[in-house]
Amino acid sequence: MSTASDPAAPDAAVRAARVLSRPVTLNGLTVPNRIAMAPMTRMFSPGGIPGEDVRDYYARRAAAGVGLIVTEGTYVGHPSAGESDRVPRFHGEEQLAGWAKVTEAVHEAGGTIVPQLWHIGMVRKAGKPPFPEAPAMGPSGLVTAGAEPTGKAMTQQDIDDVVAAFAQAAADAERIGFDGVEIHGAHGYLVDQFLWEGTNRRTDAYGGDPVARTTFAAEIVAAVREKVSPEFPVIFRFSQWKMHDYTARLAETPEELEAILTPLAAAGVDVFHASTRRYWLPEFDGSDLNLAGWAKKLTGKQVITVGSVGLDGEFTDSFRGEGAPVKNIDNLLDRLEADEFDMVAVGRALLQDPEWAAKVLQGRFDELKPYDAESVKTLY
Ligand SMILES: Cc1cc2nc3c(=O)[nH]c(=O)nc-3n(C[C@H](O)[C@H](O)[C@H](O)COP(=O)(O)O)c2cc1C
């Protein structure tokens, strides 16, 4: 970041404020600025119920300028969806009542908020809470490419049940005051297990070429769309990489990416959230566009970028306990000004520093802190 001794600092500050503080409308929702908080799992909801600390955690970030909060992944109402009793659930009276208080507090603070709806699929380990008797299931019972099946290949009934659970969660989200929903279609969890050929070996209508592998995700999007108001934004998060394979790719070419994203756009996605680990890396040869940029170019939909915004050192390092120094956002602003993407999601920097958005929007760059992976374990 620019420092007080940097003669360019005032200009950089003015530019950051000008570019990031423009409102943006996603379907029927107007977000006050271009900064989104990336979804980040936390284990602070015993019994799957988000309590006052969770409410305050999100409200604090909204009050300090985050335009759109995407909550941590929250399990949809299907017994095989999760593997922790401390991850918030998006079903059940007490759980939804907890979420309603979160949305209220974020709105009072001037922000907007969507839940990230999540089913972990084959990442689930047998016997884990919140529903120990539930089997692990996925398209072909595989955790990653080349693995032996360790779970159940989903039946048509399983597929229908999960689709209905996502749709119900979206209807509940609108009912209790959320501003939209994000479907977690990334990182090697259930929806992505269908999208990726490494984990989808099916020979029925849900497997085969990229379009066929998109059938499950498109059914979820269509079912969600049917249960919510037409103006309610539906965001779809996707990624090339998987938790079990950072080098995996869904699409090797723009054509393959188009084959996957087009049916999702047609089913009703308003915004694609392209999860990368470093936003400045070009996705395909012959163009500077990153993954979000390509999603926008190929679908004409709005897109959110993410990945090491404000930090040098990617987030997967943080799982090994590594920190990251502060990095300037000049390249990000260039790309945003060029309309490569519409919003910018920020993960670790906002996890550690609830004031990050206010500091950036006000040009207080010299107050930004390096990411300290150890300290965030105790923070909320
Ligand atoms: C602690 C932690 C938890 C995360 N949990 C989720 C999650 O629940 N859902 C998801 O889609 N991504 C999750 N991510 C990925 C982030 O949303 C984001 O894409 C990633 O951290 C890169 O952004 P950053 O470099 O700004 O941190 C998580 C990341 C971190 C660091």
Side-chain angles (χ1 to χ4, degrees):
M1 287 288 156
S2 305
T3 64
S5 60
D6 179 351
D11 284 351
V14 169
R15 179 173 178 235
R18 177 172 53 77
V19 176
L20 288 167
S21 64
R22 295 169 299 162
V24 60
T25 300
L26 313 175
N27 194 348
L29 173 70
T30 297
V31 179
N33 61 49
R34 303 302 175 108
I35 300 176
M37 179 168 177
M40 282 177 287
T41 292
R42 305 169 68 239
M43 306 273 182
F44 289 96
S45 298
I49 304 167
E52 288 179 8
D53 55 334
V54 176
R55 180 197 65 193
D56 294 347
Y57 163 85
Y58 287 119
R60 193 173 298 136
R61 283 150 181 89
V66 173
L68 173 70
I69 286 170
V70 183
T71 71
E72 60 202 293
T74 171
Y75 300 148
V76 296
H78 182 267
S80 299
E83 61 172 353
S84 165
D85 199 35
R86 295 180 60 82
V87 166
R89 304 208 273 278
F90 214 79
H91 57 101
E93 210 171 308
E94 279 179 278
Q95 288 80 3
L96 292 176
W99 278 123
K101 290 186 186 141
V102 174
T103 61
E104 199 179 288
V106 166
H107 289 153
E108 272 170 23
T112 65
I113 180 166
V114 302
Q116 188 190 47
L117 304 179
W118 193 20
H119 190 304
I120 71 170
M122 281 303 304
V123 175
R124 176 176 166 75
K125 304 264 185 320
K128 287 272 188 138
F131 303 106
E133 67 291 352
M137 56 172 71
S140 308
L142 305 171
V143 173
T144 191
E148 288 299 314
T150 50
K152 181 183 178 193
M154 289 167 74
T155 62
Q156 186 65 51
Q157 187 63 54
D158 295 326
I159 288 174
D160 294 345
D161 290 347
V162 172
V163 169
F166 272 93
Q168 185 58 47
D172 288 335
E174 185 168 27
R175 180 174 57 81
I176 66 176
F178 278 94
D179 298 295
V181 287
E182 175 169 290
I183 296 165
H184 193 344
H187 306 169
Y189 296 106
L190 182 65
V191 177
D192 194 27
Q193 287 161 19
F194 273 86
L195 294 177
W196 186 40
E197 63 178 349
T199 40
N200 182 346
R201 313 305 299 171
R202 296 177 80 98
T203 52
D204 62 4
Y206 295 93
D209 66 17
V211 174
R213 296 198 305 270
T214 307
T215 305
F216 177 66
E219 283 186 4
I220 290 176
V221 173
V224 162
R225 190 79 270 169
E226 208 181 321
K227 284 261 199 167
V228 297
S229 307
E231 64 277 8
F232 194 67
V234 174
I235 304 171
F236 188 93
R237 195 173 220 221
F238 73 98
S239 65
Q240 297 268 36
W241 64 272
K242 322 293 161 205
M243 284 306 278
H244 287 90
D245 188 347
Y246 292 150
T247 61
R249 301 192 85 188
L250 263 191
E252 295 290 348
T253 62
E255 291 71 27
E256 280 179 18
L257 186 62
E258 188 172 18
I260 293 164
L261 299 185
T262 303
L264 296 173
V269 169
D270 297 301
V271 181
F272 286 104
H273 187 173
S275 171
T276 57
R277 292 175 290 151
R278 286 153 297 195
Y279 72 83
W280 56 87
L281 293 185
E283 192 55 44
F284 301 113
D285 288 344
S287 161
D288 264 355
L289 290 179
N290 74 10
L291 186 63
W294 274 105
K296 188 174 170 91
K297 182 183 161 97
L298 295 170
T299 65
K301 297 291 177 184
Q302 288 170 304
V303 295
I304 305 172
T305 198
V306 68
S308 301
V309 172
L311 295 175
D312 203 355
E314 61 183 82
F315 90 99
T316 44
D317 297 341
S318 68
F319 297 136
R320 293 191 289 272
E322 289 176 31
V326 169
K327 182 178 161 77
N328 77 53
I329 56 169
D330 296 347
N331 182 276
L332 184 83
L333 298 176
D334 290 344
R335 288 171 183 263
L336 189 56
E337 271 195 303
D339 283 333
E340 180 173 337
F341 34 76
D342 301 279
M343 291 199 74
V344 172
V346 181
R348 288 162 299 156
L350 264 172
L351 184 65
Q352 165 155 306
D353 184 359
E355 302 285 320
W356 189 90
K359 288 176 183 173
V360 170
L361 289 169
Q362 294 161 12
R364 290 151 54 202
F365 291 151
D366 49 349
E367 293 177 39
L368 296 174
K369 304 169 196 160
Y371 178 72
D372 172 354
E374 276 307 304
S375 73
V376 295
K377 289 183 185 160
T378 57
L379 284 177
Y380 68 92

